[in-house]
Amino acid sequence: GIYLFDSLKNTKNIAIFFVKKFMRIYPMLILTLVLTIFIGAAFTTLSLKEYFSDPLVYKYFIDNVLNIFNAHELPGVFKDHNITGLNGVLWYVTFIVRIYFVGGIFSWLGLFDTKERMNQVLLILLTCVSVAPNAVPLLGENTLLYGNMDFPQYTITIIIAGLIYNNFPEIRVRWQVLILLFVFCMLQKDFTYGNTIGLWAVLAVASAVWIGCLPMTKKIKVTDISFEIFLFGWPTSQIVCELCPSLSPIGNTVITILVTTVIGIGLKYTIGKLLDKATKNILMKIEKYGVKNI
């Protein structure tokens, strides 16, 4: 959420914004889809001929590139796992594409031009998604409106982040508040992901604000590899589960984090640098051919 609103604020026009987001998401997404298809070929119980002739392989690629609805499974891959999807987080990429699209359109319409107007728009959107998620297109839960049952809770999280970004540095978080929020999270009677995600999200955002305000934090320069880790985290975890089935969930998580961090750093400083250069060239051409005011 903070990256989204920071990008909207610091981007000259809507064309540049969408180009930047397209180049940030789609090349790495396509690379991930191709690699995971070949990873699936290495672990499938089918023959390679059966695997690559199965329509599910092409459905997996096409659906996830189009980002309308997603496919997570590949034929004969990890069918004995508790969750059989090779990359079960791809639906969230679809959500990110939609939140970028909606944010970009709102910005283009001038709804984020002033601090007061942005606060009003975000509060109205927050209310709509919280009260009637079934009626909100793209970011709500109604599939007929191109939503997803998991979208509303993440939309709320991003709106909260946007409100904090818009009102920073007036907003400050004390460490006592973080402890109180953590206690509330732990005291939930129904300690399940779906029922406590909102409270955990508030804790996460509040923690990010508190950490970001620390003097020592402001001096640290961090390379963002979150998207690369995100794309390869689930497949890596599934592979670790397949190769080491007796490993505990914590052990799986530790190995997955270490492996995907290495993958993320490697991609960032190889393909990522090439994509950054390509993006800059595209943006220069956009400005050269006179779309500065779009």
Side-chain angles (χ1 to χ4, degrees):
I2 289 174
Y3 276 130
L4 166 63
F5 291 103
D6 185 65
S7 182
L8 285 170
K9 180 180 179 180
N10 295 297
T11 301
K12 296 178 181 179
N13 59 60
I14 194 66
I16 290 177
F17 174 79
F18 282 132
V19 168
K20 286 167 65 176
K21 295 310 172 188
F22 179 89
M23 292 299 292
R24 174 65 176 141
I25 293 175
Y26 275 91
M28 203 63 72
L29 172 62
I30 290 172
L31 173 66
T32 303
L33 295 175
V34 172
L35 288 178
T36 49
I37 285 173
F38 281 98
I39 289 171
F43 288 96
T44 184
T45 55
L46 306 178
S47 68
L48 290 180
K49 183 179 180 180
E50 291 174 325
Y51 177 81
F52 283 107
S53 62
D54 194 305
L56 194 60
V57 172
Y58 305 98
K59 176 178 173 60
Y60 171 83
F61 182 84
I62 294 171
D63 284 2
N64 293 316
V65 168
L66 293 177
N67 270 310
I68 298 174
F69 297 106
N70 300 103
H72 302 104
E73 299 190 3
L74 286 169
V77 180
F78 303 144
K79 295 303 180 183
D80 58 339
H81 290 197
N82 289 335
I83 299 177
T84 56
L86 176 61
N87 202 341
V89 297
L90 293 173
W91 66 268
Y92 191 76
V93 179
T94 297
F95 168 72
I96 290 298
V97 169
R98 292 179 184 179
I99 201 78
Y100 283 163
F101 175 76
V102 172
I105 295 299
F106 277 20
S107 179
W108 179 60
L109 293 174
L111 299 180
F112 294 156
D113 282 356
T114 66
K115 182 176 180 178
E116 292 75 16
R117 187 181 299 173
M118 183 173 173
N119 279 336
Q120 292 171 8
V121 170
L122 290 179
L123 285 172
I124 292 171
L125 184 58
L126 179 64
T127 302
C128 292
V129 176
S130 301
V131 175
N134 195 53
V136 179
L138 298 177
L139 306 179
E141 64 183 14
N142 190 343
T143 55
L144 296 178
L145 297 176
Y146 298 102
N148 180 296
M149 61 180 294
D150 291 314
F151 282 4
Q153 57 198 15
Y154 293 98
T155 301
I156 290 170
T157 306
I158 286 180
I159 294 172
I160 293 171
L163 287 167
I164 289 176
Y165 174 84
N166 191 42
N167 295 281
F168 193 84
E170 288 83 2
I171 292 180
R172 286 289 188 271
V173 177
R174 297 181 179 275
W175 62 268
Q176 294 92 334
V177 174
L178 299 183
I179 293 177
L180 187 61
L181 285 171
F182 180 75
V183 170
F184 283 157
C185 288
M186 298 303 295
L187 288 177
Q188 293 298 306
K189 292 181 180 180
D190 188 3
F191 193 74
T192 58
Y193 175 80
N195 292 321
T196 60
I197 184 65
L199 193 55
W200 282 104
V202 173
L203 173 61
V205 174
S207 300
V209 173
W210 179 75
I211 293 170
C213 291
L214 296 175
M216 61 178 293
T217 307
K218 296 177 181 179
K219 299 177 182 179
I220 300 174
K221 292 184 178 181
V222 179
T223 299
D224 178 25
I225 57 171
S226 58
F227 188 56
E228 289 79 8
I229 288 179
F230 168 79
L231 286 173
F232 285 94
W234 188 296
T236 301
S237 180
Q238 288 282 55
I239 292 170
V240 172
C241 181
E242 179 71 14
L243 298 178
C244 307
S246 60
L247 201 62
S248 69
I250 293 177
N252 183 298
T253 301
V254 170
I255 293 175
T256 298
I257 289 173
L258 292 174
V259 172
T260 50
T261 298
V262 173
I263 292 173
I265 293 172
L267 289 174
K268 188 70 176 181
Y269 288 99
T270 53
I271 295 174
K273 282 195 171 184
L274 294 175
L275 290 175
D276 288 343
K277 186 177 179 180
T279 303
K280 288 179 181 178
N281 290 334
I282 293 171
L283 295 180
M284 288 174 61
K285 289 181 180 179
I286 288 177
E287 294 189 352
K288 180 180 177 181
Y289 289 104
V291 291
K292 294 182 179 180
N293 298 319
I294 294 179

